[in-house]
């Protein structure tokens, strides 16, 4: 698997950095110069970087911080304290922190363990959007007694060169969202339609940009909470989402089949569309899903079909022939996603290609991307803080495993 290959290459790169760092960390006068190096200056946001600190004394402690700003300009920060080896180096892939924001040796621990510096209860990091910026910086700073501070900026990219972005609007496209297309000449891969959850708006652009970077045409489509759409999750026409699926097939030549990915409440919409378009929707991936139609927010009905409310209750999964991947955290405290994921992902004689991935300790934020902070609380459209369950380390473990499996599911 390509994921394993990346890990192996990362280990080789770290070994090379350790050799070069230990060879040049001191001068003839015995002075030490703290430096931070990385295997790459920038990388896609779903790919790791490998950081090395050199120029320390054997056994010397060094404090390393990572800092970034979210979509609202709020600062996020993490910290780790490490002890240098006999060569005066610290490899974040290799060395566990003595203390700090995370515990185990993890080269990307400082990235996913960040918390807001203003004390906000919202612990789901939303970095600057790929709609407004092609990348975002994470600033790494290292300090140790007697040495000048070292700084390094890691650029986290949303897209590879050549990815294009088109805004979809109600007047011409009959949907609102953002379509990301892979670079011209890229081998054709399954187009993927993305629906977010109760946060509303066009919330899937991060994943859509990354999917296009992996070769999948991907629109993130809003279905409420933006101008021209229902203001809340009430009376959303399923026909609107069906139109988005057909538009994706038309724009990308995906007549051979598309995939739909839905998060949380978006899982209901994804399954409803798959049931209506059995000849078009070939794969469905749902994260922190529901196997039932739930009520609207703040009340009433969430969905309509042919102008009539879709009644609450079990979704007719037997009407969906598509392959299905259902992902949930075992410690989801927002709703019974583990039970529903098992229902959705259980193979049947008519639909044998179904599976469920369940992650111990992870919560409702299991839908996140790797290397981005995702804690146990969030503030959705309705404004009150919600308990999502899980903890940052368990959520990150789920993201690391589920994201490449999701990509493989799309490619299979």
């Amino acid at each position: 698997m390509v994921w394993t290959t990346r890990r192996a290459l990362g280990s080789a790169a770290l070994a090379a950095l350790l050799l070069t760092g230990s060879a040049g960390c001191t001068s003839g006068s015995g002075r030490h110069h703290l430096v931070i190096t990385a295997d790459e200056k920038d990388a896609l946001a779903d790919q790791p970087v490998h950081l090395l600190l050199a120029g320390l004394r054997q056994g010397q402690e060094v404090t390393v911080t990572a800092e970034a700003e979210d979509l609202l300009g709020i600062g996020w920060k993490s910290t780790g304290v490490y002890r240098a080896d006999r060569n005066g180096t610290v490899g974040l892939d290799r060395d566990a922190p003595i203390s700090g924001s995370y515990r185990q040796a993890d080269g990307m621990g400082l990235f996913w363990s960040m918390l807001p510096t203003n004390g906000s209860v919202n612990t789901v990091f939303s970095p600057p959007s790929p709609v407004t910026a092609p990348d975002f910086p994470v600033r790494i700073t290292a300090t140790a007694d007697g040495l000048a501070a070292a700084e390094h900026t890691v650029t986290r990219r949303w897209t590879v060169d050549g990815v294009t972005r088109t805004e979809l609007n109600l007047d011409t496209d009959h949907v609102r969202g953002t379509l990301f297309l892979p670079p011209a000449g890229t081998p054709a891969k399954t187009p993927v339609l993305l629906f977010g959850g109760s946060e509303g708006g066009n919330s899937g652009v991060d994943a859509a940009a990354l999917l296009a970077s992996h070769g999948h045409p991907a629109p993130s489509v809003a279905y409420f909470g933006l101008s021209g759409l229902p203001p809340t999750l009430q009376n959303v026409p399923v026909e609107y989402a069906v139109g988005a699926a057909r538009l994706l097939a038309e724009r990308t030549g995906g007549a051979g089949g598309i995939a739909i990915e839905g998060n949380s409440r978006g899982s209901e919409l994804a399954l409803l569309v798959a049931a209506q378009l059995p000849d078009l929707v070939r794969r469905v991936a749902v994260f922190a899903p529901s196997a039932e139609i739930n009520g609207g927010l703040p009340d009433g009905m969430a969905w309509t079909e042919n102008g009539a409310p879709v009644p609450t209750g079990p979704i007719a999964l037997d009407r969906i022939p598509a392959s299905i991947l259902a992902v949930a955290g075992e410690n989801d405290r927002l709703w019974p996603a583990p039970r529903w994921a098992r229902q959705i992902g259980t193979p049947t004689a008519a639909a044998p290609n179904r599976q469920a991935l369940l992650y111990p300790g992870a919560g409702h934020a299991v839908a996140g991307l790797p290397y981005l902070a995702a804690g146990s609380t969030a503030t959705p459209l309705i404004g009150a803080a919600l308990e999502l369950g899980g903890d940052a380390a368990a959520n990150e473990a789920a993201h690391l495993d589920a994201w490449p499996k999701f990509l493989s599911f799309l490619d299979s």
Side-chain angles (χ1 to χ4, degrees):
M1 179 182 289
V2 68
W3 195 259
T4 304
T5 302
R6 284 183 188 143
R7 289 289 188 183
L9 290 174
S11 298
L14 176 61
L17 286 171
L18 287 171
L19 290 174
T20 58
S22 62
C25 64
T26 61
S27 67
S29 62
R31 290 183 180 179
H32 292 248
H33 303 279
L34 180 57
V35 295
I36 305 171
T37 57
D39 58 344
E40 293 186 28
K41 184 178 180 181
D42 59 67
L44 282 176
D46 65 346
Q47 295 176 352
V49 294
H50 307 280
L51 295 168
L52 172 77
L53 283 71
L56 297 156
R57 298 183 301 275
Q58 180 178 351
Q60 186 174 17
E61 292 186 5
V62 57
T63 299
V64 185
T65 62
E67 296 176 275
E69 288 187 353
D70 67 15
L71 194 60
L72 302 177
I74 297 171
W76 288 62
K77 184 177 182 179
S78 59
T79 303
V81 179
Y82 309 85
R83 180 172 287 114
D85 67 4
R86 61 185 180 85
N87 294 313
T89 67
V90 171
L92 296 193
D93 284 348
R94 175 197 68 196
D95 299 320
I98 302 168
S99 61
S101 306
Y102 71 102
R103 296 182 179 180
Q104 306 297 325
D106 184 341
M108 297 297 288
L110 289 173
F111 290 73
W112 60 257
S113 66
M114 290 189 297
L115 290 172
T117 57
N118 68 352
S120 168
V121 297
N122 191 337
T123 54
V124 177
F125 176 61
S126 297
S129 166
V131 172
T132 58
D135 52 50
F136 65 94
V138 178
R139 295 172 295 278
I140 309 296
T141 304
T143 58
D145 289 343
L147 299 175
E151 296 184 358
H152 183 85
T153 297
V154 175
T155 300
R156 308 297 283 157
R157 298 182 61 188
W158 289 122
T159 56
V160 297
D161 293 340
V163 167
T164 60
R165 174 177 60 85
T166 301
E167 292 302 315
L168 305 174
N169 62 75
L170 291 170
D171 290 338
T172 58
D173 306 301
H174 308 296
V175 297
R176 285 202 63 176
T178 307
L179 171 63
F180 292 88
L181 294 177
T186 300
K189 288 188 176 182
T190 304
V192 187
L193 174 62
L194 293 94
F195 295 125
S198 62
E199 69 279 357
N202 189 13
S203 61
V205 289
D206 298 357
L210 289 171
L211 284 170
S213 297
H214 289 286
H216 297 275
S220 169
V221 170
Y223 53 91
F224 79 98
L226 292 180
S227 175
L229 300 176
T232 58
L233 183 48
Q234 294 173 300
N235 302 316
V236 176
V238 175
E239 291 86 353
Y240 167 86
V242 167
R246 287 179 171 148
L247 177 69
L248 174 59
E250 293 169 1
R251 289 285 184 90
T252 62
I258 69 168
I260 302 181
E261 189 260 351
N263 295 335
S264 191
R265 291 306 300 266
S267 66
E268 299 172 36
L269 192 55
L271 293 169
L272 287 171
V273 173
Q276 286 208 13
L277 299 174
D279 294 329
L280 179 62
V281 179
R282 301 297 174 83
R283 296 178 181 87
V284 179
V286 287
F287 290 76
S290 172
E292 300 181 3
I293 300 299
N294 293 273
L297 290 174
D299 51 34
M301 292 296 193
W303 321 107
T304 66
E305 287 185 349
N306 299 317
V310 177
T312 58
I315 296 172
L317 298 174
D318 57 349
R319 292 177 52 201
I320 303 173
S323 299
I324 298 179
L325 175 68
V327 182
E330 291 278 18
N331 196 28
D332 191 318
R333 293 187 181 178
L334 191 61
W335 65 8
R339 172 167 59 83
W340 282 333
R342 290 186 182 94
Q343 289 178 242
I344 296 168
T346 298
T348 66
N353 297 319
R354 296 182 179 181
Q355 60 177 312
L357 300 176
L358 300 169
Y359 294 98
H364 199 74
V366 72
L369 296 165
Y371 314 126
L372 296 179
S376 59
T377 56
T379 304
L381 185 68
I382 58 176
L386 297 177
E387 178 60 40
L388 302 179
D391 60 60
N395 287 333
E396 176 63 11
H399 301 159
L400 280 174
D401 189 73
W403 178 249
K405 287 181 178 177
F406 170 53
L407 295 177
S408 295
F409 171 74
L410 295 175
D411 292 337
S412 61

